[in-house]
Amino acid sequence: KPGEQKHSKEPSSLQCMHLAVVACGDRLEETLIMLKSAVLFSNRRLCFHIFAEDSLKPEFEKKLKEWPSSYTKKFQYNIYPITFSVGNAQEWKKLFKPCAAQRLFLPVILKDVDSLLYVDTDVLFLRPIDDIWHILKEFNSTQLAAMAPEHEIPKIGWYSRFARHPYYGTTGVNSGVMLMNLTRIRNTQFKNSMVPSGLTWEEMLYPLYQKYKNYITWGDQDLLNIIFYFNPECLYVFPCQWNYRPDHCMYGSNCKGAEEEGVSILHGNRGVYHDDKQPTFKALYEVIRDFPFEDNLFQSLYYPLQSKFLDTVHTLCGRIPQVFLKQIEKTMKKVYENRVIVYLGANHRY
C-alpha cells in the first residue's frame, strides 16, 4: 500500500557486499584499518569474513565493538579459524606469508556465499566497495574471478622476467584484490596440467601445489596464476587503479587508469605503511588510522592528507598527489551531497 515500507525477502547475507581477509601474526592493526576504510566510504551494508589465528579473535571482537554505533550498524562480521580442507595444513600455513594460502579455500569454506571480494590486510579503500562490486555484473558467462595485472610493463615485470612456472597473460596477475563469483568457482571443472579431464577447485589445489611447489616464489598467488594460465576464459582483468601498488609509481607513473580516474584501491605491499621508503603510502595509512570516526571527513581526513603529501614531493610517488586524492575527494563530495539532500528532504516535510 502507499506509504507502507517494503520489506525485502532476501536473506541479509544476500543484501550484503561480502568482504574477506586473512590475518595472522602482527596483522591485526592493518586489518582493522582496512575494514575502517571499507566502512568509511561504502554505501550498501557489508558482511566481513575475517579469517584469523585463534589468539587474534578476542582482539578483533574488542576493537570492532569500540567503533561507534553509527558505523557498526553498517556491517556484520564473522571470525573464522585458519583451516585447510585438503593436503597438509602446516605446509599450506607456511606457504609464502603466514596463512596467506587460506584465500585459496574461500570457495570451499564459505559455501553459502555467492560472491565475495577478497583483499590482503595491507589494502585501503579510497572509494565505496559498491563500485568494485558492480564489476561482478560485467562478468561474461565464463568469468568467475577478477584480478589486476601484476605489472603494466613486461620488461620490468617479475613474472615476465623470472617465473619458472606458467602464469596468466604477459605479466601475471596480483591476488591482493580478488573479486570472486564463488558459486561459479564451485561449479566449474578446471582444465589443468595433471589429468586430461577437468578438476573441481578443491580437487585441483593440493596436486597443483605438489607439482609446482619447487618453482613458485609468491605462494598462493603463483598457484592462482597457474590456474588462470590454463583457464584464461575464467578471468576478468580489471585495471590497475583497483589494485594500486608502489610499483605503479616508484619507477615513474605507469598506471594510466589512476592518472585519469585516481586510485580506487591502494595496496601497500612491500611493508610500505610501516617504513619510510614510500611516504605517500604511509601518509594515507596513518591519516585513515588516526581519523576519529565521527569527525568531519574534509577537516580530519582530507586536509591532513594534503599537508602530509607536501612532505613526500621528493619521491616519484609523492610528485603525483592528485592520483591519490582524486577518488577520496569525489567520494567525500558524494557523501556530503547525500547528507544535504536527506536533510533538505526531511525539512520539506514541514
Side-chain angles (χ1 to χ4, degrees):
K1 290 178 188 176
E4 275 190 355
Q5 195 175 355
K6 188 178 178 185
H7 293 280
S8 169
K9 291 182 180 175
E10 280 188 300
S12 62
S13 66
L14 286 178
Q15 296 168 12
C16 273
M17 297 180 293
H18 293 269
L19 178 67
V21 64
V22 179
C24 285
D26 59 357
R27 298 301 180 108
L28 176 79
E29 183 192 78
E30 240 182 37
T31 308
L32 287 164
I33 308 310
M34 179 276 290
L35 297 173
K36 183 180 183 180
S37 72
V39 174
L40 276 179
F41 295 131
S42 291
N43 302 315
R44 268 178 65 190
R45 187 169 172 76
L46 294 158
C47 285
F48 295 148
H49 302 274
I50 304 165
F51 290 80
E53 289 173 310
D54 294 342
S55 58
L56 294 179
K57 185 180 178 183
E59 279 299 302
F60 271 115
E61 287 175 337
K62 180 185 166 211
K63 296 286 184 189
L64 290 170
K65 279 174 188 163
E66 288 170 3
W67 290 8
S69 61
S70 56
Y71 284 91
T72 55
K73 70 183 181 188
K74 290 174 70 177
F75 68 89
Q76 63 192 63
Y77 70 90
N78 282 306
I79 301 174
Y80 309 81
I82 302 295
T83 50
F84 304 100
S85 62
V86 292
N88 182 310
Q90 283 311 307
E91 264 187 301
W92 283 122
K93 197 168 180 182
K94 289 173 185 169
L95 181 65
F96 192 46
K97 289 182 181 171
C99 309
Q102 182 71 77
R103 84 185 86 179
L104 297 173
F105 293 86
L106 297 176
V108 180
I109 298 166
L110 300 174
K111 291 189 191 311
D112 296 329
V113 176
D114 175 63
S115 295
L116 178 84
L117 176 64
Y118 164 86
V119 295
D120 285 349
T121 60
D122 52 9
V123 152
L124 291 171
F125 293 95
L126 306 186
R127 69 190 282 183
I129 290 184
D130 311 59
D131 298 336
I132 191 169
W133 197 254
H134 288 314
I135 291 175
L136 286 163
K137 292 180 178 168
E138 295 176 23
F139 283 13
N140 66 25
S141 59
T142 61
Q143 289 165 339
L144 46 75
M147 288 186 269
E150 171 64 20
H151 218 286
E152 302 306 300
I153 304 165
K155 67 179 179 185
I156 56 172
W158 194 90
Y159 284 107
S160 42
R161 291 184 297 159
F162 304 119
R164 296 186 295 149
H165 59 77
Y167 57 89
Y168 179 87
T170 54
T171 59
V173 282
N174 182 283
S175 60
V177 178
M178 183 163 53
L179 190 61
M180 294 179 278
N181 183 318
L182 299 184
T183 303
R184 285 187 181 183
I185 290 174
R186 287 187 285 264
N187 294 337
T188 297
Q189 293 283 319
F190 291 88
K191 299 189 289 292
N192 61 86
S193 58
M194 296 163 294
V195 295
S197 59
L199 291 170
T200 68
W201 186 265
E202 191 175 18
E203 287 169 344
M204 176 174 56
L205 289 178
Y206 195 60
L208 195 71
Y209 166 66
Q210 286 296 321
K211 178 169 182 176
Y212 290 103
K213 66 179 179 182
N214 295 325
Y215 304 99
I216 58 178
T217 304
W218 308 112
D220 48 299
Q221 177 173 292
D222 291 345
L223 292 178
L224 288 163
N225 266 284
I226 294 164
I227 290 169
F228 290 113
Y229 168 84
F230 289 106
N231 301 271
E233 72 286 355
C234 293
L235 191 67
Y236 177 107
V237 179
F238 50 63
C240 47
Q241 65 266 29
W242 292 105
N243 185 348
Y244 191 90
R245 284 157 277 130
D247 300 60
H248 288 120
C249 55
M250 62 193 277
Y251 309 114
S253 184
N254 61 40
C255 175
K256 295 288 175 239
E259 287 170 22
E260 289 162 15
E261 293 181 31
V263 174
S264 297
I265 296 179
L266 192 77
H267 184 180
N269 64 344
R270 303 174 178 265
V272 292
Y273 297 149
H274 313 293
D275 61 30
D276 296 316
K277 289 176 184 169
Q278 296 300 332
T280 317
F281 282 74
K282 189 178 184 183
L284 266 156
Y285 179 80
E286 288 178 347
V287 166
I288 293 173
R289 179 194 67 195
D290 299 339
F291 173 70
F293 268 105
E294 296 186 283
D295 267 25
N296 179 294
L297 279 166
F298 273 106
Q299 243 171 358
S300 301
L301 193 145
Y302 189 69
Y303 295 137
L305 204 46
Q306 281 186 315
S307 102
K308 270 181 180 270
F309 277 0
L310 292 173
D311 298 329
T312 74
V313 291
H314 62 285
T315 67
L316 284 170
C317 294
R319 287 178 197 170
I320 48 170
Q322 71 285 357
V323 163
F324 298 93
L325 291 169
K326 198 176 281 189
Q327 278 299 333
I328 294 183
E329 195 176 339
K330 219 172 169 180
T331 302
M332 285 193 294
K333 279 182 178 165
K334 273 187 192 164
V335 167
Y336 281 107
E337 280 166 13
N338 290 343
R339 280 185 191 168
V340 168
I341 290 162
V342 168
Y343 178 74
L344 288 173
N347 282 347
H348 278 307
R349 288 187 208 157
Y350 302 104

